Amino acid sequence: MDNILQKLLPMQPLASVEGRDNDTLMYLIHGLVLVLFVGWAIYYIVVLIKFRETKNSKAAESHVAHTVSSYVEWFVVVAEIVLLFAFSIPFWAVHQASVPEGKNIMEVKVVAQQFAWNVHYAGPDGRFGRASARFLEDNPLGLDPSDPDGKDDITTMNQVYLPVNKTVIFRLTSKDVIHSFGVPAMRVKQDIIPGMTTSAWFTPNKIGQYEIACSQLCGVGHYRMRGIINVVAQADFDQWIAQNKGIHD
Ligand SMILES: [Cu+2]
């Protein structure tokens, strides 16, 4: 079934646990729209033939009474109510309106700028160093050099490393204009607003490389505002953290 749907409506191969709900919703909405499209097309052709001018030289003043059309309308209304209340609203509540909590979750901070992604890891101590706009001239994330929590932090540009099968929450903000954190393979898209912190989260379940594409037109270099998410095995991730602690790229 999945293969047939994937052929009908090709999407990037899915690489997160939560993305499945997104894809189900996509298929259902497209399915309904397909039914509506075919229905309207048939109706259009029928009307063109049935009410052609040579057969109906005089316009009828009274409307055509049909019960079929009202059944069809009710079907569409019910289908849309089901899509909204049984799928879309629960999806929003689980994946967008709330952020998961618990132990097996890691946090990564991302500061977007024209036209790059600055990525900030807490390092082995699990605590993020303080950042302030005062230090932005010294380093791209504005890390305060006097804060001991920041000494082992790792910062990278356009490169994200994640262990597979672990939920990650991205805390997103921007230095300049509105950007959008779009990761198609994870089915995630979240606006990034200067002066605000927004969140996006997912659980990557396939080792590989995935693109972060800025999804909000943010200036002349928008097209090249790309990052890479490297999903690796937990052991490789631990090694990466150990090798890079304190390195601010
Ligand atoms: Cu951007």
Side-chain angles (χ1 to χ4, degrees):
M1 185 67 179
D2 272 8
N3 286 346
I4 300 169
L5 290 173
Q6 182 67 28
K7 282 221 171 66
L8 285 172
L9 188 66
M11 290 196 271
Q12 274 206 23
L14 181 61
S16 75
V17 176
E18 296 78 13
R20 180 150 290 276
D21 287 352
N22 175 88
D23 289 6
T24 305
L25 190 58
M26 283 288 171
Y27 288 132
L28 288 171
I29 291 172
H30 280 79
L32 176 66
V33 171
L34 181 69
V35 169
L36 292 180
F37 172 75
V38 172
W40 277 113
I42 292 170
Y43 174 75
Y44 179 62
I45 292 164
V46 167
V47 165
L48 275 183
I49 296 166
K50 196 170 171 193
F51 300 108
R52 63 186 186 278
E53 203 254 348
T54 49
K55 280 263 176 180
N56 307 271
S57 53
K58 198 168 178 292
E61 281 169 20
S62 59
H63 71 280
V64 181
H66 265 305
T67 48
V68 180
S69 63
S70 48
Y71 288 130
V72 172
E73 276 162 28
W74 276 111
F75 161 78
V76 176
V77 169
V78 170
E80 283 175 354
I81 287 173
V82 169
L83 275 181
L84 188 60
F85 286 95
F87 292 93
S88 304
I89 292 176
F91 177 85
W92 180 265
V94 172
H95 297 297
Q96 197 65 35
S98 61
V99 171
E101 285 169 44
K103 268 200 166 170
N104 192 33
I105 290 174
M106 63 177 286
E107 231 173 273
V108 178
K109 290 187 178 181
V110 171
V111 178
Q113 69 177 78
Q114 289 170 322
F115 300 96
W117 306 94
N118 298 290
V119 187
H120 183 187
Y121 286 84
D125 68 354
R127 288 191 302 272
F128 285 99
R130 206 169 34 236
S132 159
R134 279 186 298 144
F135 300 104
L136 279 178
E137 299 228 321
D138 309 326
N139 66 81
L141 279 150
L143 285 183
D144 182 344
S146 67
D147 182 8
D149 285 347
K151 290 277 184 274
D152 68 342
D153 286 13
I154 301 168
T155 67
T156 70
M157 190 173 261
N158 297 332
Q159 290 291 330
V160 179
Y161 284 84
L162 297 176
V164 70
N165 294 326
K166 188 166 192 170
T167 301
V168 54
I169 302 173
F170 287 91
R171 305 291 183 191
L172 310 158
T173 191
S174 167
K175 273 190 208 176
D176 37 45
V177 298
I178 296 175
H179 301 272
S180 180
F181 184 74
V183 191
M186 308 296 173
R187 311 293 193 255
V188 158
K189 195 164 281 178
Q190 173 62 53
D191 272 3
I192 305 179
I193 322 288
M196 245 178 106
T197 302
T198 51
S199 302
W201 64 276
F202 56 82
T203 311
N205 61 358
K206 276 197 193 94
I207 288 174
Q209 291 195 318
Y210 307 99
E211 186 189 17
I212 309 170
C214 183
S215 306
Q216 189 68 264
L217 185 58
C218 57
V220 288
H222 167 68
Y223 71 94
R224 62 179 155 86
M225 187 166 167
R226 308 169 74 195
I228 297 292
I229 293 182
N230 301 275
V231 177
V232 297
Q234 181 73 48
D236 295 335
F237 179 75
D238 295 341
Q239 199 186 355
W240 180 78
I241 290 279
Q243 279 172 353
N244 289 274
K245 68 178 183 219
I247 295 179
H248 299 168
D249 277 349

